[in-house]
């Protein structure tokens, strides 16, 4: 099930995207959105007698984290190496504020404080219920679904500060979308799901979730051993190698097999 958050020009709504999808998870031209009675995280999936052509609505960030976005650093060995870092012995966590979240098509603003703004395409996990100390073997029970993220990073500020809060916490630094896929088989991640990032149409990242140092269940277990996870919280699972700079006017597209694509343009703040 593909759950979207969208607007027709009025108040945001939730809906289920229906119709056939291609091999990349993108709906065909005749896809529609069937409206829901409210946020399915809290009221369940209650279909209304309203539907809209997907092409006629504006997609928004599919989830607004009430609490937090938890990032995982250096979860791909090749990415750690390209920045001159060692692979951590346990998941390296950081937080992005929920005010950093934007949706598909929204601008990512280039702050004046940085001279090195970079993309990081990632698989994102959306938590479905309140949980703490989740065993690895039960991690999938608390996952609502998966979406796509761009963990935008001011790389020079990350080096300067020695920690990640400012470098990854600016408004618009966490694009999410285009929807949440709830029925994706988590076991499929063991075989690897392709994660690609395109900068102005050129492939700049091309990796697989099979290369994660810590897989999704391990990440959920680790994070929940430290902090309570709430419905709508998001875990970013790390980025493959190939990170690099973006400039004002650039278009960045993150594509994950089975999930679709998330596209944003860089704008001057």
């Amino acid at each position: 099930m593909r759950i979207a958050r969208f607007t027709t020009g009025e108040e945001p709504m939730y809906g289920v995207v229906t119709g056939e999808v291609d091999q990349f998870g993108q709906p065909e031209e005749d896809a529609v959105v069937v409206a829901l009675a409210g946020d399915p995280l809290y009221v369940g999936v209650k279909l209304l007698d309203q539907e809209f052509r997907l092409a006629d609505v504006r997609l928004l960030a599919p989830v607004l984290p009430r609490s937090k976005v938890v990032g995982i650093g250096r979860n791909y060995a090749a990415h750690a190496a390209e920045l001159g870092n060692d692979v951590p012995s346990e998941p390296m966590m950081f937080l992005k504020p929920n005010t950093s979240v934007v949706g598909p098509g929204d601008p990512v603003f280039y702050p004046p404080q940085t001279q090195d703004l970079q993309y990081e395409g990632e698989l994102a996990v959306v938590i479905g219920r309140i949980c703490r100390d989740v065993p690895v073997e039960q991690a999938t029970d608390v996952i609502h679904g998966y979406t796509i993220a761009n963990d935008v990073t001011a790389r020079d500020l990350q080096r300067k500060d020695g920690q990640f809060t400012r470098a990854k916490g600016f408004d618009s630094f966490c694009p999410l979308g285009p929807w949440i896929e709830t029925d994706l088989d988590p076991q499929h991640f063991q075989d690897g799901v392709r994660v690609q990032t395109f900068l102005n149409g050129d492939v700049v990242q091309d990796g697989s979730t099979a290369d994660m140092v810590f897989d999704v269940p391990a990440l959920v277990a680790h994070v929940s051993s430290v902090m309570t996870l709430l419905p709508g919280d998001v875990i970013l699972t790390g980025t493959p190698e190939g990170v690099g700079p973006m400039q004002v006017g650039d278009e960045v597209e993150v594509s994950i097999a089975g999930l679709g694509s998330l596209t944003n343009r860089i704008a001057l703040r």
Side-chain angles (χ1 to χ4, degrees):
M1 184 182 300
R2 298 181 297 278
I3 296 176
R5 183 169 162 269
F6 68 97
T7 179
T8 60
E10 300 179 356
E11 290 295 314
M13 303 174 67
Y14 290 87
V16 175
V17 179
T18 66
E20 296 299 320
V21 298
D22 62 23
Q23 60 179 323
F24 303 106
Q26 295 284 59
E28 303 293 351
E29 290 184 1
D30 60 348
V32 300
V33 185
V34 180
L36 294 173
D39 187 342
L41 279 169
Y42 296 93
V43 301
V45 177
K46 299 179 180 179
L47 297 173
L48 299 178
D49 189 21
Q50 291 178 277
E51 66 176 45
F52 308 88
R53 291 180 66 245
L54 183 61
D56 294 337
V57 306
R58 177 189 168 207
L59 293 176
L60 307 172
V63 62
L64 291 176
R66 272 64 168 180
S67 172
K68 52 192 169 291
V69 177
V70 183
I72 303 296
R74 305 172 191 172
N75 199 30
Y76 288 75
H79 168 61
E82 73 178 343
L83 297 183
N85 298 310
D86 295 328
V87 174
S89 58
E90 59 183 357
M92 175 187 291
M93 297 188 298
F94 58 89
L95 295 177
K96 292 172 81 85
N98 54 13
T99 48
S100 67
V101 172
V102 293
D106 288 338
V108 171
F109 291 110
Y110 203 123
Q113 295 94 325
T114 181
Q115 302 299 315
D116 189 11
L117 192 66
Q118 298 196 2
Y119 53 80
E120 293 190 9
E122 308 198 7
L123 172 73
V125 180
V126 181
I127 298 300
R129 61 182 178 86
I130 187 169
C131 57
R132 178 70 199 272
D133 292 324
V134 180
V136 169
E137 59 272 14
Q138 296 179 19
T140 57
D141 295 341
V142 305
I143 294 175
H144 177 54
Y146 300 88
T147 191
I148 302 172
N150 186 351
D151 178 20
V152 179
T153 304
R155 195 70 67 196
D156 50 354
L157 300 184
Q158 186 181 23
R159 290 189 292 264
K160 178 181 180 181
D161 293 352
Q163 48 91 3
F164 297 175
T165 302
R166 181 167 66 140
K168 293 177 177 283
F170 283 91
D171 291 356
S172 79
F173 272 26
C174 189
L176 296 175
W179 40 68
I180 297 169
E181 175 56 72
T182 64
D183 293 337
L184 200 62
D185 183 0
Q187 294 301 116
H188 189 44
F189 290 113
Q190 294 181 1
D191 300 326
V193 170
R194 194 174 190 182
V195 180
Q196 294 178 294
T197 302
F198 300 83
L199 181 65
N200 299 321
D202 296 327
V203 179
V204 288
Q205 288 185 287
D206 193 352
S208 169
T209 56
D211 297 326
M212 286 182 180
V213 178
F214 304 100
D215 64 13
V216 170
L219 295 179
V220 172
H222 183 78
V223 174
S224 68
S225 74
V226 176
M227 60 190 76
T228 299
L229 292 171
L230 303 180
D233 281 355
V234 174
I235 299 176
L236 309 183
T237 60
T239 193
E241 67 176 322
V243 299
M246 306 178 290
Q247 304 299 330
V248 173
D250 284 349
E251 182 179 84
V252 181
E253 175 188 352
V254 183
S255 177
I256 298 182
L259 295 182
S261 297
L262 169 68
T263 302
N264 301 89
R265 190 172 292 276
I266 312 305
L268 190 63
R269 182 180 175 189

